[in-house]
Amino acid sequence: MDELEKLKAELKRLNAEYAKIREVAPEKRGEFGRELNAKKNAILEAMRLAEESALDVEVEPIDITAPCGVNEELPTTYSAFQGSAHPLMTELDRVISIYQLMGFDVVESRQLDDEFHMFDSLNFAKEHPARDGYDTFRTEEGLIPPAHTSTMQHRVLKAYRDKLQNGEEIAVVVPGRVYRNEDVDATHEHTFYQCEGVYVSRDCTMGQMLGILREFFEKYYKQKLNIRTQPGYFPFTEPSLEFLIEKPKTLGGKKGDFLEMLGCGMIHPNVLKMAGIDPNEYHGFAWGGGIDRLVMLKYGLNDIRYLESGNLNFLKEF
Ligand code: DAH
């Protein structure tokens, strides 16, 4: 095994050690964490040096005018790093595939939106304090990088509402990048990904929604899961719920260790009405949750900031 591979393996072993912090007596945790961090930094530094020296070789320039085949004979000492898909994109594709298998259409969100789609179309009353929970950025023209993928609900409902007339249901998921004015720390990022779900039919129920969500999470984590809901508040759903899963044992969870994965609920009649759908005839449910959170749990990441850092040492682990 070359030096870099050895260091990577060491880093992986060390990363697993972090999970053990739970078993350490509370007063010793600080010291335990500091020791691990020091070891980790030493390994990361050694990796950086190993990478640099791997790159520090004389490379013959490639003759781009040469006929096919000649360029294949690169010096054997040449070491180039091959890029790979970002883990967030790989996982987002997995998420979308699961919903597609369940019959959902996919509509992409956008990275700039407006006040109407961000708030008004979602039944946020003017000046209502609930708007503060979605503090994001604004351009000088007053456009808004969306704070959630729910900004797409109104467009999806309008674009698909003819289906209802034909006796079909609306079933759409909306992946997208979202932005929040956050104090960034290990569990909060200003930029992350969400996936929204929107379902409307004549007679859908909350039970169906919970069934869909359970199915999704069990497919994603490839195992049976315990789920739980608790009351939530969103102006665009009534009633509103928070949806939790019990952290699987295989991912270091203990019994009773529930994690909130998304917000959901029955679509508020005002939201349907604003999109030209009669709430006396049709009902809907919707949900939205972070992709980063799914990925962090899957890979045991302890810091969300890795995901948007562009840190090559991190990305090469995938
Ligand atoms: N948009 C909410 C958020 O980011 C999550 C959410 C809650 C989405 C309820 C929904 C929903 O579609 O029905 O906090």
Side-chain angles (χ1 to χ4, degrees):
M1 221 194 310
D2 78 357
E3 179 65 12
L4 195 56
E5 289 304 314
K6 262 193 235 158
L7 289 166
K8 271 193 203 164
E10 224 174 290
L11 185 63
K12 224 179 188 158
R13 267 199 303 279
L14 191 71
N15 279 339
E17 291 283 306
Y18 278 95
K20 292 191 187 148
I21 199 153
R22 293 165 188 285
E23 295 155 24
V24 176
E27 66 279 8
K28 300 231 168 103
R29 283 187 189 164
E31 194 189 333
F32 182 81
R34 271 191 298 279
E35 263 174 34
L36 283 185
N37 286 342
K39 277 190 207 157
K40 185 167 182 167
N41 286 336
I43 297 176
L44 290 177
E45 178 59 15
M47 282 171 77
R48 195 181 62 75
L49 293 175
E51 273 161 14
E52 268 178 16
S53 68
L55 284 171
D56 189 19
V57 285
E58 275 301 313
V59 179
E60 289 295 318
I62 295 173
D63 177 2
I64 57 160
T65 65
C68 182
V70 172
N71 288 331
E72 278 166 21
E73 290 197 20
L74 286 167
T76 49
T77 48
Y78 177 73
S79 124
F81 296 118
Q82 207 167 1
S84 58
H86 191 285
L88 275 175
M89 292 303 101
T90 311
E91 297 305 317
L92 191 56
D93 282 347
R94 289 204 170 109
V95 167
I96 292 169
S97 304
I98 296 173
Y99 285 123
Q100 279 179 316
L101 285 171
M102 292 163 105
F104 284 82
D105 269 8
V106 182
V107 172
E108 265 194 277
S109 180
R110 47 182 73 196
Q111 306 214 29
L112 268 187
D113 216 314
D114 55 31
E115 187 83 21
F116 174 74
H117 289 91
M118 179 63 221
F119 292 116
D120 305 62
S121 72
L122 289 166
N123 196 40
F124 282 85
K126 290 249 180 286
E127 317 286 334
H128 194 283
R131 292 189 180 218
D132 296 346
Y134 296 89
D135 187 12
T136 179
F137 309 97
R138 270 163 211 267
T139 68
E140 281 165 9
E141 300 83 359
L143 293 171
I144 304 178
H148 54 176
T149 42
S150 305
T151 42
M152 291 298 289
Q153 278 197 20
H154 183 77
R155 292 192 185 90
V156 165
L157 292 173
K158 276 215 312 222
Y160 280 79
R161 70 185 167 202
D162 287 348
K163 276 191 135 192
L164 297 171
Q165 246 85 59
N166 302 331
E168 292 174 67
E169 68 281 1
I170 299 177
V172 177
V173 290
V174 186
R177 202 176 199 202
V178 298
Y179 306 87
R180 300 228 176 142
N181 182 8
E182 288 280 4
D183 281 334
V184 172
D185 63 24
T187 54
H188 296 88
E189 248 301 4
H190 51 70
T191 302
F192 56 102
Y193 284 82
Q194 281 192 330
C195 187
E196 186 89 0
V198 181
Y199 188 97
V200 183
S201 73
R202 255 181 210 290
D203 50 12
C204 65
T205 65
M206 188 113 96
Q208 285 172 338
M209 176 181 78
L210 297 180
I212 289 172
L213 293 176
R214 172 193 283 283
E215 177 81 8
F216 166 76
F217 282 102
E218 291 189 344
K219 282 230 156 68
Y220 182 76
Y221 288 114
K222 299 198 175 94
Q223 58 188 296
K224 291 274 164 216
L225 293 169
N226 289 326
I227 63 170
R228 179 184 280 181
T229 57
Q230 60 196 29
Y233 171 73
F234 305 100
F236 36 99
T237 41
E238 179 57 39
S240 305
L241 298 177
E242 284 165 0
F243 184 92
L244 300 84
I245 65 170
E246 193 174 31
K247 191 170 171 186
K249 260 206 206 97
T250 51
L251 301 175
K254 286 206 211 81
K255 206 153 182 50
D257 219 354
F258 279 86
L259 301 172
E260 189 198 323
M261 300 310 283
L262 48 80
C264 56
M266 299 305 289
I267 299 179
H268 195 289
N270 288 349
V271 173
L272 293 176
K273 228 185 286 174
M274 274 186 273
I277 296 174
D278 182 354
N280 296 315
E281 253 188 89
Y282 299 99
H283 304 280
F285 47 77
W287 65 90
I291 300 298
D292 304 51
R293 201 173 291 186
L294 278 184
V295 177
M296 284 175 75
L297 175 58
K298 181 165 176 180
Y299 292 107
L301 302 181
N302 52 10
D303 196 325
I304 193 171
R305 288 168 293 193
Y306 279 124
L307 291 169
E308 293 280 339
S309 68
N311 178 334
L312 285 182
N313 287 332
F314 167 73
L315 293 174
K316 277 181 213 146
E317 301 246 321
F318 294 88

